[in-house]
Amino acid sequence: MQDYTLSTDRLAYRVKGLRMAASVLHCGAHPDDEDIGLLSYLSHKYCVRVFYWSATRGEGGQNRVGPYTGEALGIYRTWETLAARSNDGGEALFGPFFDFGYCKRSIDAFSKWGRETMVREMVRAIRQAKPMIVVGRWLGALSDLHGHHQAVGEALYDAFDADAKPDRFPELTSLGLPPWQPAKFYLSTDNTGGDYSAGAALNLFGRLNPELERNGALRINTGEYDPISGMTYQKMAWLAYNNHKTQAHGMAPASGDFYYYFTLHKSHVPVPKRECEFFDGFDPTLAGLAERLPGSGAALKDQLRMVVRAVDEALGALGAADPRAAGFSLMQGLTLLREAIRSERGSDTESMYRQAVLLSLDERCRDFEDVAAQCLGLELEGLSNKSRITPDSRISVQVRLWNHRGAAIDELNFDLDVPTGWHVEKSRAAAALTELMLDCQVTAKPTDAFTCPYWLRSARNGFVYTWPDDATAGRPFSEPELRANCRVTVDGTALTLRRPVVVRQAFPGGYREFPVAVVPPIALQPQLIQEFRPVSQKKQTIEVHVAAIDNAEKPIVGNLRLDGPAGWIVQPECIAIALSKLGDSVNGRFEVELPADILEGLYILRCNCRIDDQDFSYTVTPVRMGALGLPGPPTASNCSKEANIIAPAEIKVSVIRTAWASAQSCAYVSGVTDEIRETLRRFGVSFSELSDGDLAHSNLQVHDVIVVGPNAYLLREELRNNAKRLLNYVHSGGTLIVQYQGYGYQNGEFAPFPFRYNQPHDRVTDETAKVTISDPNHPVFRFPNKIAESDFDGWVHDRGMYFFGDWDKRYRSLAKCADSGEEAKGGGLLTCQYGRGHFIYVAYSFFRQLPAGVAGAFRLFANLLALPSARLHERAEFLKQLDLFAACEEEQLIAAARLMTESWYADGTVICQEDDVGTELYLVYNGVVDVIKTDGGLKKIVASLGRGGCAGEMAVIGNVPRTATLVARGDVELLIIRGDQFKDLLKANSLMAISLLEILVKRLTQAKP
């Protein structure tokens, strides 16, 4: 809620700003992109209006202070932006673009947002702000370090030129936004010195940069002292920047010089080679507006100069204890301004900017009225007895004008702006020297137009919000539902005051003011908004719980039901509900039967409640900001800000065709919050959560698979301390699946073999990027689901991040992908054998894909979990082809495979030496091994063993020295079994022992001369 009562210093800024006409528009991609010192410097030193336009509301950013993500986070970051602007003196505008997360190039952003759409929305911002100066935060180059940044930079060049063409975007003109051409276009210049530790190109140090001391570059010093506020402009800036709390920004304000540099890209006014200020080349005061209307000549300029002189008189009077004299000077200036506007409206001036200039002067009239009233001590407030109203219900509103300094009021009229169709009953008016008051009863009409942030009222068009065709578009929030107006005449000058109607409440820690919100009489809240089920030949059931919550202050009687797709059976058909008062709730339980042989796909269950022959099917999800210092998450009773997301009450059911390995014990090591375990629970896959104590002391070998969550190694110290235990778990036969980890993962001995990330780390941001399967025959792509490249269709947000950049040859890359124009990256899915177990690093974003119901991701993740079973069966199939194991049953083959260790040897590596004591049996799994014997002092290759070759049987059985040296020819993979384990196999399997004897006899026979 905007603070309409001004302190003396803020009043001084407002009065000073009345003499200025020039405004500045600063454009970025995200709410925290701004050159924050620029805003505080211009808004406080020159008192011009400074707008910061953010293409997005930062929905894809992090949230370090609460649970909100996506659209809810966008609301929260809008509040943070308004708090920042309250500190730095700027104003906020937004684009309609949804922040879908990081991308690398502008083409990626434009593919989702549309280049022409972005240009149009920037033109909208230019016409709303009517700036004389535009400052682009980004250059539109790869050096911007983010595709969103680059897109904003590129589009702004076009938007700056486009707005001078009246035939461009005529739909904006029809909305009351006539063309406007800014005078100058600057670009922020990187003065980081290469330090990007706090984000892309944030000016942290404000150093004096000799390289930028050149013609065409403008330097400002935000370390200058502001005598009104008692601090430097940069101190104000850092205090403002610290409001971006979700992004964990924290800057310590400090005195001293602080420099920003800006490059002049284009100017429509003559400027010196070396500028000293942004306003070089034109008059930034009200009188300068006349230059936009050359046909009006000196007359308009003279009139506006008189207005400026009246403001200067007000400034001179403002220092007194009683600022009423300043108020009377401002009313004189207001009268002069109104006369100038009437004269211009009656003239025949021809200029494409005439309408925009008149709109600008009208806006300045409203500013004069507001500031003059402040000086005179006139304060308007509109208070409601409730913050929520339901259709066809009533609230009480009291409109009051406080006359704090006893101004002589000649005439007074109250009015109340309400939505069309609402009824206002004025019940009482009172007047006194210090206060004048009007009481009203306001009744809302029956409607389905509920109060919701305007950009969320309709479904998004891809990654672009659907906006209303009115003046609300681009503003932080829409105008409140109710607004109090007061027309008061003082000393013959009429002033119109406008304030939103709010409810004012105290709560522990302070007070709050909420505008009146219209909500549906009943809210329906499913316990879960997404369900998952497998494709099945049998019928399946889902238990659905829906809470119905009374938002009205009267009893509600109705029927709750759940509507499903054709062929789905919902029981019961409806549930009668009766709610007696506001806040009451009741839970409805439904059983939903899915038909047999249901096809893979997304299905919708819709919740509905019928009340008095009208259907209501809405969820009301509050987004709240807590008050500083209060413990715990914000609640309805203690939040400082609140907005409601009103959306259809529905449950998405993803039916997915996937097979799962049976009888596996799985464990999970949590990292950042993810929904993988809860999602897979619906398929009968359960995980044991490993605590810090479990990591340190439990028997990890009881688990077939351990999955490590995203960034767990960075977040959990005990995981880092016990990383060796996890590697030992793998070496002893376990399977470890590690999801993406940040840079710190490469600094410790956390993985079986060496690797490193590239700087910056490899990531693939295009969720549609082609994925090439490197080894289609690998078990990861064959068991229990056959994986094809089509299983990478329909992914959301991205492919993955923190791909390995370089890795040891013992890792095997299983898939490759890349963003357009880049080389394929194979470090996103790697596996290796380590001892008897398997290690998998997976940078692909399963933590996003599984909760989103991406079918192919389920199948691939199921295969990753099944890798222990798949590799055992693969080894068993391999052993079955060998004479030594040919007589074994499948169960015996699986047992033998389970005992084996897989080892990799580089070309030329000596595997074992002649005459050494033999304790291991070797089977060649892949590659070639040379058998070398010493004869007369010379070493000679007597045999070469390919896939399936066996060596070491005699040494293991006879406890005799090895008769030959084994050397890897090329890279080789061996299956190795210890001698004692091999003997146990022979004892348990007589047929295998006979097969071994036959092999040895044959070998001895072949060795005879």
Side-chain angles (χ1 to χ4, degrees):
M1 180 61 61
Q2 183 177 347
D3 183 6
Y4 292 97
T5 58
L6 300 180
S7 59
T8 302
D9 56 344
R10 293 184 66 185
L11 185 58
Y13 294 128
R14 289 290 306 275
V15 173
K16 189 177 177 181
L18 292 176
R19 69 191 310 277
M20 305 297 288
S23 61
V24 178
L25 176 64
H26 187 31
C27 295
H30 308 111
D32 58 337
D33 283 356
E34 71 271 58
D35 268 333
I36 195 85
L38 171 70
L39 276 64
S40 61
Y41 177 82
L42 291 173
S43 64
H44 291 94
K45 181 175 182 177
Y46 297 101
C47 296
V48 296
R49 296 181 73 183
V50 186
F51 297 84
Y52 176 64
W53 181 86
S54 175
T56 75
R57 295 177 188 258
E59 300 91 340
Q62 63 180 339
N63 186 354
R64 296 291 186 88
V65 300
Y68 300 126
T69 60
E71 293 169 343
L73 178 58
I75 295 173
Y76 201 96
R77 293 191 69 183
T78 301
W79 287 330
E80 290 184 331
T81 297
L82 292 175
R85 298 296 82 83
S86 178
N87 283 127
D88 61 35
E91 300 176 53
L93 293 172
F94 291 92
F97 305 105
F98 181 80
D99 181 353
F100 56 85
Y102 176 81
C103 67
K104 297 173 183 174
R105 301 176 307 158
S106 59
I107 191 173
D108 303 321
F110 287 140
S111 69
K112 292 180 168 63
W113 293 340
R115 183 188 178 100
E116 187 71 358
T117 302
M118 176 164 282
V119 172
R120 183 192 68 220
E121 294 308 322
M122 287 179 161
V123 169
R124 183 198 300 269
I126 289 173
R127 296 187 183 188
Q128 286 174 323
K130 293 181 280 297
M132 293 299 288
I133 296 168
V134 171
V135 182
R137 180 64 180 85
W138 305 110
L139 303 178
L142 289 175
S143 60
D144 292 333
L145 304 178
H146 197 311
H148 296 180
H149 299 167
Q150 188 180 355
V152 167
E154 286 183 20
L156 190 54
Y157 295 112
D158 194 8
F160 182 83
D161 294 328
D163 208 30
K165 304 170 184 176
D167 57 340
R168 192 91 183 265
F169 308 116
E171 67 274 19
L172 295 179
T173 304
S174 66
L175 292 175
L177 296 172
W180 178 265
Q181 176 61 67
K184 301 166 79 173
F185 180 13
Y186 291 89
L187 296 170
S188 295
T189 303
D190 186 352
N191 192 31
T192 63
D195 187 338
Y196 298 154
S197 58
L202 176 65
N203 187 358
L204 285 173
F205 308 111
R207 62 194 181 98
L208 189 68
N209 191 336
E211 296 179 1
L212 298 177
E213 297 289 334
R214 51 178 167 76
N215 291 342
L218 170 64
R219 181 191 71 205
I220 63 172
N221 183 4
T222 58
E224 293 178 12
Y225 179 76
D226 174 39
I228 298 177
S229 65
M231 64 178 74
T232 69
Y233 302 116
Q234 191 60 37
K235 274 190 173 182
M236 296 184 211
W238 287 143
L239 290 173
Y241 202 66
N242 289 343
N243 284 289
H244 296 298
K245 292 179 172 58
T246 56
Q247 307 311 293
H249 292 320
M251 307 301 298
S255 297
D257 291 337
F258 199 101
Y259 299 104
Y260 289 83
Y261 290 85
F262 302 91
T263 301
L264 181 62
H265 175 71
K266 183 176 286 189
S267 178
H268 294 299
V269 296
V271 295
K273 290 183 179 179
R274 189 69 178 271
E275 292 185 283
C276 296
E277 287 296 348
F278 281 102
F279 308 115
D280 287 349
F282 66 92
D283 179 1
T285 69
L286 269 177
L289 271 181
E291 296 172 4
R292 288 283 167 137
L293 304 176
S296 297
L300 178 61
K301 195 163 197 174
D302 288 342
Q303 288 175 299
L304 294 178
R305 280 174 176 162
M306 293 173 64
V307 176
V308 171
R309 282 197 291 270
V311 176
D312 291 339
E313 291 176 6
L315 282 170
L318 191 61
D322 186 351
R324 281 181 294 182
F328 287 112
S329 294
L330 292 181
M331 287 195 295
Q332 180 184 2
L334 175 59
T335 300
L336 293 169
L337 182 56
R338 286 170 173 166
E339 290 174 357
I341 294 172
R342 280 195 296 269
S343 298
E344 182 55 37
R345 289 193 194 280
S347 72
D348 56 359
T349 302
E350 291 187 7
S351 170
M352 65 181 292
Y353 304 122
R354 184 170 184 270
Q355 186 181 354
V357 168
L358 289 171
L359 285 173
S360 184
L361 293 175
D362 286 339
E363 291 169 2
R364 190 45 46 99
C365 279
R366 289 191 286 273
D367 292 336
F368 266 86
E369 291 177 320
D370 197 42
V371 180
Q374 290 282 335
C375 292
L376 295 172
L378 298 176
E379 178 192 356
L380 178 67
E381 67 179 10
L383 298 178
S384 168
N385 66 328
K386 301 174 189 174
S387 62
R388 287 185 168 196
I389 186 173
T390 56
D392 208 23
S393 64
R394 173 179 290 196
I395 59 172
S396 298
V397 174
Q398 186 179 83
V399 182
R400 174 178 292 179
L401 179 70
W402 292 95
N403 187 1
H404 295 295
R405 294 191 172 96
I409 297 175
D410 303 328
E411 187 179 351
L412 176 70
N413 287 293
F414 287 113
D415 192 16
L416 195 64
D417 287 344
V418 299
T420 303
W422 288 36
H423 178 69
V424 178
E425 182 182 343
K426 298 179 181 180
S427 55
R428 183 173 71 91
L433 179 64
T434 57
E435 68 177 64
L436 300 101
M437 186 166 49
L438 173 69
D439 288 335
C440 302
Q441 296 294 316
V442 180
T443 304
K445 72 170 184 177
T447 182
D448 59 359
F450 304 113
T451 304
C452 180
Y454 69 86
W455 64 94
L456 300 179
R457 290 175 189 161
S458 302
R460 271 200 328 263
N461 181 13
F463 295 92
V464 180
Y465 289 114
T466 302
W467 275 3
D469 291 331
D470 56 33
T472 297
R475 304 294 178 181
F477 292 99
S478 56
E479 289 294 319
E481 300 288 352
L482 305 180
R483 188 180 71 179
N485 303 311
C486 178
R487 182 176 174 87
V488 56
T489 303
V490 178
D491 198 27
T493 301
L495 305 175
T496 300
L497 308 183
R498 307 163 183 85
R499 296 292 182 267
V501 174
V502 299
V503 61
R504 184 179 297 151
Q505 299 170 330
F507 65 91
Y511 80 99
R512 61 193 185 184
E513 290 183 348
F514 287 166
V516 176
V518 184
V519 296
I522 192 165
L524 305 180
Q525 187 61 55
Q527 185 179 42
L528 295 173
I529 62 173
Q530 188 157 14
E531 274 286 1
F532 302 89
R533 286 296 183 272
V535 169
S536 175
Q537 295 179 342
K538 299 179 180 179
K539 295 180 180 179
Q540 304 177 70
T541 60
I542 300 175
E543 187 174 294
V544 175
H545 292 263
V546 180
I549 305 165
D550 187 351
N551 289 327
E553 293 191 340
K554 61 181 181 180
I556 288 180
V557 176
N559 287 302
L560 179 66
R561 67 177 196 274
L562 189 65
D563 299 328
W568 293 38
I569 299 174
V570 179
Q571 293 292 339
E573 291 185 3
C574 67
I575 298 173
I577 63 169
L579 302 170
S580 59
K581 63 182 185 301
L582 177 67
D584 277 0
S585 66
V586 64
N587 182 66
R589 177 185 172 277
F590 298 91
E591 279 201 0
V592 183
E593 182 180 279
L594 283 64
D597 296 317
I598 188 171
L599 298 177
E600 182 173 272
L602 177 65
Y603 301 86
I604 304 296
L605 294 168
R606 289 182 172 83
C607 310
N608 205 306
C609 189
R610 191 163 187 81
I611 303 171
D612 296 333
D613 298 323
Q614 187 175 359
D615 289 330
F616 293 92
S617 180
Y618 304 99
T619 60
V620 179
T621 305
V623 180
R624 297 179 175 124
M625 176 179 280
L628 187 64
L630 292 183
T635 65
S637 62
N638 68 10
C639 63
S640 62
K641 294 187 183 298
E642 183 180 69
N644 293 315
I645 298 177
I646 298 179
E650 59 186 32
I651 301 158
K652 297 178 180 178
V653 182
S654 295
V655 178
I656 295 169
R657 175 185 53 79
T658 186
W660 302 87
S662 59
Q664 285 198 143
S665 172
C666 301
Y668 203 91
V669 182
S670 294
V672 298
T673 302
D674 67 66
E675 301 174 36
I676 288 180
R677 285 169 296 158
E678 180 60 26
T679 300
L680 296 185
R681 181 184 61 79
R682 274 62 159 244
F683 294 84
V685 180
S686 60
F687 291 88
S688 300
E689 171 71 21
L690 295 184
S691 67
D692 288 347
D694 294 330
L695 290 170
H697 305 296
S698 70
N699 179 15
L700 300 178
Q701 298 306 141
V702 301
H703 304 296
D704 297 298
V705 180
I706 296 177
V707 179
V708 178
N711 262 344
Y713 281 93
L714 276 66
L715 297 175
R716 296 182 61 172
E717 183 179 2
E718 282 304 306
L719 175 58
R720 297 192 296 274
N721 293 341
N722 290 284
K724 287 288 180 64
R725 292 196 78 227
L726 282 178
L727 291 180
N728 290 337
Y729 156 80
V730 179
H731 200 275
S732 300
T735 295
L736 182 66
I737 301 173
V738 177
Q739 299 179 75
Y740 88 85
Q741 307 293 317
Y743 286 116
Y745 184 61
Q746 68 183 355
N747 298 329
E749 296 180 353
F750 303 141
F753 306 115
F755 77 95
R756 72 172 182 85
Y757 296 116
N758 287 326
Q759 296 277 357
H761 67 88
D762 288 345
R763 64 192 302 178
V764 179
T765 63
D766 181 2
E767 69 273 22
T768 67
K770 178 178 173 56
V771 177
T772 301
I773 295 174
S774 306
D775 183 3
N777 292 320
H778 193 279
V780 163
F781 302 116
R782 292 192 296 111
F783 179 82
N785 302 283
K786 179 68 174 175
I787 301 297
E789 291 180 2
S790 60
D791 283 300
F792 293 93
D793 294 343
W795 283 44
V796 299
H797 195 274
D798 64 357
R799 288 298 188 200
M801 61 183 126
Y802 286 100
F803 286 35
F804 282 9
D806 290 307
W807 54 88
D808 188 280
K809 293 170 67 175
R810 283 167 284 191
Y811 291 108
R812 181 184 297 182
S813 172
L814 301 182
K816 297 179 179 180
C817 67
D819 285 318
S820 177
E822 297 183 349
E823 292 185 2
K825 296 173 172 59
L829 180 57
L830 300 109
T831 184
C832 69
Q833 184 74 26
Y834 184 61
R836 300 208 321 265
H838 314 283
F839 173 85
I840 304 168
Y841 180 77
V842 53
Y844 286 85
S845 57
F846 287 101
F847 70 99
R848 300 188 202 276
Q849 311 310 321
L850 299 186
V854 178
F858 275 86
R859 289 189 278 273
L860 180 55
F861 201 82
N863 285 15
L864 293 175
L865 294 178
L867 186 59
S869 298
R871 292 307 297 264
L872 281 175
H873 284 86
E874 183 183 55
R875 288 182 188 174
E877 285 296 317
F878 168 75
L879 296 176
K880 185 71 175 177
Q881 309 305 314
L882 307 183
D883 292 341
L884 179 60
F885 295 90
C888 294
E889 300 292 335
E890 182 177 357
E891 184 177 337
Q892 295 168 323
L893 292 171
I894 292 294
R898 197 181 298 276
L899 295 174
M900 291 181 173
T901 298
E902 186 172 322
S903 292
W904 177 91
Y905 296 89
D907 180 33
T909 302
V910 175
I911 299 167
C912 64
Q913 289 277 10
E914 186 176 1
D915 294 328
D916 285 351
V917 175
T919 59
E920 294 173 320
L921 175 69
Y922 301 105
L923 301 174
V924 180
Y925 199 44
N926 283 302
V928 176
V929 173
D930 288 330
V931 182
I932 301 175
K933 287 191 175 184
T934 303
D935 185 5
L938 298 177
K939 293 185 177 181
K940 179 180 179 181
I941 297 177
V942 297
S944 294
L945 304 177
R947 179 176 171 81
C950 180
E953 313 97 318
M954 296 180 64
V956 168
I957 296 299
N959 294 317
V960 297
R962 295 195 182 277
T963 60
T965 297
L966 302 182
V967 178
R969 188 203 302 175
D971 294 341
V972 172
E973 290 178 72
L974 300 181
L975 295 181
I976 304 172
I977 185 170
R978 295 201 320 262
D980 57 337
Q981 293 174 330
F982 183 60
K983 289 177 182 179
D984 289 340
L985 285 174
L986 294 177
K987 291 176 185 178
N989 191 332
S990 58
L991 292 177
M992 182 178 172
I994 294 172
S995 297
L996 177 60
L997 289 173
E998 291 174 348
I999 291 171
L1000 294 178
V1001 169
K1002 184 177 181 180
R1003 189 171 295 175
L1004 289 171
T1005 302
Q1006 292 173 343
K1008 288 183 178 181

